[in-house]
Amino acid sequence: MKPFQRFLDEQRDGVWRYLVAAVGRQDADDLFQETFMAAMRAYPREPIANERAWALTIAHRKALDHHRARARRPVPVQDVPEVGVVDGHRVLEEPTWAQVRALPPKQRAAVLLRFAGDLAHAEVAAALGISEEAARRNVHEGLRKLRAEEAALR
């Protein structure tokens, strides 16, 4: 079994991209740390069949926990700016990822794992605990909704 640091070095870019797409840049830092802390605690002694899918499954579950926790937060009574600030500069986000985050949970997870995580449909299915056909269907339906929203904006 390879050392955990090597595993982290190999998987961190993919997990980071996935988390930024799933929750936005502002919350991705915390979830990135939580993901690899959980991975370190659960790091098996035997080789992992698909390390990328294993790491993204943990990241996906952390993103789900984040979305659930955010849904329980109180709603602000005044307008709050949605744009983050890093080092005094506004951080603008690509609008497509914001639209992806607005998809229903199953479609959002499938689209994010497929495109932000760069996983094959079979790996998306394994990460979500569903059949490969269901994973394909969720990706397809998510993309269809995104295309419809893009067409409506034009």
Side-chain angles (χ1 to χ4, degrees):
M1 189 68 194
K2 71 173 76 168
F4 184 77
Q5 182 64 48
R6 189 166 149 210
F7 165 79
L8 189 151
D9 291 342
E10 292 173 359
Q11 303 304 322
R12 69 175 165 207
D13 291 340
V15 168
W16 172 252
R17 282 193 306 271
Y18 172 79
L19 288 171
V20 168
V23 300
R25 190 172 301 276
Q26 291 177 328
D27 295 317
D29 283 333
D30 291 339
L31 291 183
F32 181 82
Q33 289 182 352
E34 289 178 23
T35 297
F36 281 105
M37 290 299 291
M40 188 170 65
R41 284 191 294 269
Y43 198 61
R45 294 176 191 244
E46 295 83 31
I48 302 168
N50 188 333
E51 293 177 345
R52 187 168 50 145
W54 188 74
L56 288 174
T57 298
I58 296 169
H60 168 66
R61 291 180 180 151
K62 293 296 178 188
L64 282 178
D65 290 346
H66 172 78
H67 286 294
R68 288 181 189 132
R70 190 172 63 185
R72 291 189 298 261
R73 289 182 194 156
V75 177
V77 293
Q78 296 180 348
D79 290 336
V80 178
E82 295 291 329
V83 178
V85 177
V86 175
D87 297 330
H89 301 287
R90 292 179 60 184
V91 177
L92 299 177
E93 186 174 22
E94 191 173 329
T96 302
W97 291 118
Q99 291 174 324
V100 170
R101 283 194 293 277
L103 289 172
K106 288 181 180 177
Q107 293 172 9
R108 177 181 61 228
V111 168
L112 287 171
L113 288 170
R114 177 71 180 103
F115 296 104
D118 199 27
L119 295 181
H121 287 105
E123 294 169 320
V124 171
L128 297 177
I130 58 177
S131 70
E132 185 175 344
E133 182 56 35
R136 284 182 190 276
R137 190 55 147 168
N138 283 323
V139 169
H140 173 76
E141 291 299 323
L143 290 177
R144 191 169 61 98
K145 282 186 182 178
L146 292 173
R147 288 183 185 120
E149 289 176 11
E150 282 293 318
L153 294 175
R154 291 183 186 175

